[in-house]
């Protein structure tokens, strides 16, 4: 029942686990704060009897997937006292230390922060960052926390610049939101989700002609993570401007990552006779977007004329 | 005064040229129809006296640049009889012949069509294309004409599929529009435009916060032509969400081609504190667009929230 | 089987009718060109035997509704010779005559043009219109034709100004398109469509938060025709941002006319806590749109943040 | 130097005023918290000497308009202790009391809340509101505060529903933001702004043709306040799709209120020949928006094709 290093465990298996297993899997979800995992174990698993995990699931009504697990753990944090929350914030590593050496971080923090390109900071940027970081800690009393995997140095600098102006109340809430987000990301790694419920759909509307863009070629590429990057699939839209055969991505393929649609808009309008040109204003239209939650529906449509387009996260 | 192969000539120099020069430069602009260049020479240059080309320019009021030149030549075509126009259409090479061998094309046609990837047609696509092409010629009485440089086979097929359903009147007009477009593209190559008047601008609006997106990093890459492809410039938007220092592209750099903005939207919203996430829905936003007319202003803005964006050719 | 003045007839009843009935109903659909109705009768009804109209329907495979009827009649026009088409164009009344007196128009033309506010032309506008109209007829050889019911004088002037610059070929095609459109509008009046297949749907997306706009109040008003103008219904969007209970308009209520959604965007964002202000930039958002074809699906969604919105004809 | 009831005073006059005058004008800006006005007087005016108010202005560097005044006063609140802020929140009247009688409100609160249509609450709505309001006060320890003039009952209910779920920290910050907003609205009424610096501009882009929408008729109506409601002006866009002659609204006419553009899109596209129809999908397009800050630039453009449009607060 123990989980080998690097492997992951399903929610049902976790719920059937011994306390040791549960704590080893969930103890580091909230940074240096295994009390969250312990409280979760006590309230959700222990009191249901060791031999009856399904009752635990049943009694909670919905401890069936990673989202439910997150909801239960985050509720424990939200119900904690102001002092406990502050302690949780303070338990996070200071990015400044990271700039020197990678030592006091939990293994999850190491992995996340290690990938950021903070090592490429110029001296000027390093000074700017350390100064901002110090001001932040002095003003708020806890370290700067950012829930972004593989963030560029630009993103980290932008975020600390943006948040340092917040009032104490607003930043306390913002930092807690980051902590929850980090927990969510760690859960997605720690827990095996055998059958992601999320999926990706598309719809192309021709706003020059007021109709679905039928018969348009569309490609989907995964840009990251690098291990599975590449062309995912090629489609031709149906009469309603949608992908034939349902979602463009679902199940195991619906991975957290960065994706890009390529819409062959020039060909489409050439076929419509609406517009042709030597070098069309719009020909191959890329739409780059991130999938962050493997349990949700991502609808990423295109509204397009020969002279402009829109996209958005739809439903 | 003669123009070496491959070189080009300015409009003022052309207008001062002998008839031979004018015809050698302009004779192939309209396919196998040097009568257009001759009529242009007679009406615009010859009758002004060989020693007074500037009067020619002056009397026309506006023969100063390549756009004026095009307007004058295309007006000659538009004023021609229906029979002359039909003859002009019929003077164009049949793409079917091209699929076999490259022979009867003018040198301009060779170059343009040679670059298309028609050679990569599968047998099925080849059959489909030849059938469509034959039907087109039978229906309309002239070959299929498409004014697209470097068009993919998908574009060519899409265009012939789209236009074959037109009525005779509509397609006659559509084919003439293609012919004019080809002439325009050829003029841009044949004529030296020492100081393009066109330029490229940008503007970023934050639609989540209802304000200009200040302090956003933006890159501009040229994707084509391949000879000059690469990073053109990097900017940081000013307080009004615009590029500091004026146009992002102008003068000699404002070349016909395919370009791509990259907007670092994720960093911007991180700084605003509006939204942060493990994998943001929008992080680096590419906007790919073509510049087709070196004499025009291209305004290509971005309207963006953390969950969607729009672009369009503005002014 | 004859149709009383002002009443209308269903397609099945029409197809069972005597030749007289068919001609009296369809004879004026194409202006002063009853030959279209006659050709339709001969090809679609007569040769099926007087006692077996259902065979006629069956044999055509699809003469079941007003759209099929229009397709059959318009195909007859499209297949006619260039001379017949020109004659059809010339059979249309000249708007100039209308400016003096309402005499030679068919009863359908009278009704349509009588409603336009051409009588309110100022002297200057009248002169401008008559001059443009005369130039148009001289250039193209047929009168200016515009398929717009209740058009304002601004619309009529705009249209003639816009089209007078067309080439002969393009305008010939454009005028024929208007003639078909007029025929379609007349058919919708002449034929009883007991159960319109069209319907109206809506969807509200919150682009500031990247989610459906649930629980938003929405009203639908009909602005025209005046006889049935008023509040049609009030809705509250469901969890997917759509109207609960299906289409907002369908069946008999799905009338050709002008409509307006009112979205209570201010209340929605107040509930979200996203944005509140003394006088919000967006509070009640009206979206005004026309329904022109009672056989089609109109999807008219709203994409909205506190600082901007989009709409379009979707699917 | 005293200000007659109902009249207002300019910023320079206020700064030259006696303490009594300053307190009578500013004392009620923050509800039942004249200490803010007193602190403002002491820090900004008193210590500059009674005879040298311009020095006061000068020394602050920017106490020149109502925005500067607000910045100075709101900074005093922001720098106050958590206890003082909580007291300020608690000093606000409870809307529940308002539902019974209008008594303990400052005169400004009476006016603002008196206009809301809370009197039209049904019994069910009244019960819902009182219950929510009581829960809110119990949870957060201060009354529900909403900075919306003339809010409908729907807006008030929506807002309390939306905010009752906030954490204590977030709602504390949200309530303070409302308090600042109320102060801003009260300042705009209390202070005479002889020459508003804000203005309203417009730009119409034709996204079907990729160009400015030139020669489009546009009307501007003021919908509220009712005293000055009506047609403000009618424009015809210039070649760049903008209003000729500069802003559509500026100076004294640039009042806080609700406005509506009407774009005559149908006529425009009729002139372009892009699209004409019996009942166009888009004909007269209204865009309704609020102006909340008389010191800012409001750019409210339209991007439009025959089948859809967008607007946003631009710059």
């Amino acid at each position: 029942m123990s989980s080998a290093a690097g492997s992951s465990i399903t929610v049902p298996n976790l719920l059937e686990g011994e306390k040791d297993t549960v704590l080893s899997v969930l103890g580091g979800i909230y940074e240096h704060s295994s009390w969250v995992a312990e409280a979760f174990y006590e309230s959700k698993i222990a009191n249901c009897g060791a031999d009856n995990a399904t009752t635990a699931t049943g009694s909670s009504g919905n401890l069936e997937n990673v989202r439910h697990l997150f909801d239960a753990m985050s509720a424990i944090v939200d119900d904690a006292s102001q002092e406990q929350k502050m302690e949780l914030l303070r338990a996070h590593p200071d990015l400044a230390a990271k700039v020197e050496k990678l030592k006091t971080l939990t293994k999850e923090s190491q992995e996340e922060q290690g990938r950021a390109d903070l090592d490429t900071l110029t001296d000027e940027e390093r000074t700017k960052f350390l100064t901002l970081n110090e001001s932040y800690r002095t003003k708020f009393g806890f370290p700067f926390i950012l829930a972004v995997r593989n963030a560029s140095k630009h993103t980290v600098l932008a975020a600390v610049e943006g948040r340092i102006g917040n009032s104490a109340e607003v930043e306390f809430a913002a930092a807690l939101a980051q902590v929850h987000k980090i927990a969510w990301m760690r859960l997605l790694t720690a827990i095996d989700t055998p059958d992601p419920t999320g999926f990706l759909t598309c719809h192309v509307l021709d706003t020059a002609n007021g109709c679905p863009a039928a018969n348009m070629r569309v490609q989907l590429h995964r840009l990251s993570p690098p291990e599975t990057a590449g062309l995912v699939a090629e489609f031709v839209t149906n009469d309603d401007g949608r992908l034939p055969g349902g979602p463009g991505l679902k199940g195991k393929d619906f991975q957290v990552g960065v994706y890009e649609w390529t819409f062959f808009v020039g060909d489409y309008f050439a076929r419509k006779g609406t517009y042709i040109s030597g070098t069309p204003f719009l020909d191959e239209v890329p739409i780059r977007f991130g999938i962050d939650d493997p349990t949700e529906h991502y609808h990423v449509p295109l509204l397009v004329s020969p002279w402009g387009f829109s996209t958005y996260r739809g439903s």
Side-chain angles (χ1 to χ4, degrees), chain A residues 143-157:
Chain A
F144 178 70
I145 306 168
L146 187 63
V148 184
R149 246 182 234 279
N150 307 323
S152 78
K153 62 185 180 186
H154 297 102
T155 301
V156 175
L157 278 168

Side-chain angles (χ1 to χ4, degrees), chain A residues 75-92:
Chain A
I76 289 167
V77 171
D78 286 340
D79 291 346
S81 69
Q82 181 111 351
E83 287 69 28
Q84 278 176 298
K85 290 176 185 171
M86 180 58 91
E87 208 170 320
L88 172 56
L89 295 180
R90 288 183 177 143
H92 281 74

Side-chain angles (χ1 to χ4, degrees), chain A residues 90-108:
Chain A
R90 288 183 177 143
H92 281 74
D94 193 312
L95 282 177
K98 157 75 177 58
V99 170
E100 318 298 340
K101 53 188 185 302
L102 292 159
K103 262 192 187 153
T104 61
L105 311 185
T106 59
K107 71 178 194 304
E108 287 89 351

Side-chain angles (χ1 to χ4, degrees), chain A residues 34 36 47 49-50 56 82 84 110 115 131 148 202 212 222 242 296 309:
Chain A
S34 57
V36 182
N47 55 1
Q82 181 111 351
Q84 278 176 298
Q110 281 184 24
R115 291 193 209 153
T131 306
V148 184
C202 190
R222 187 183 288 114
R242 299 180 194 268
E296 293 193 355
F309 62 91

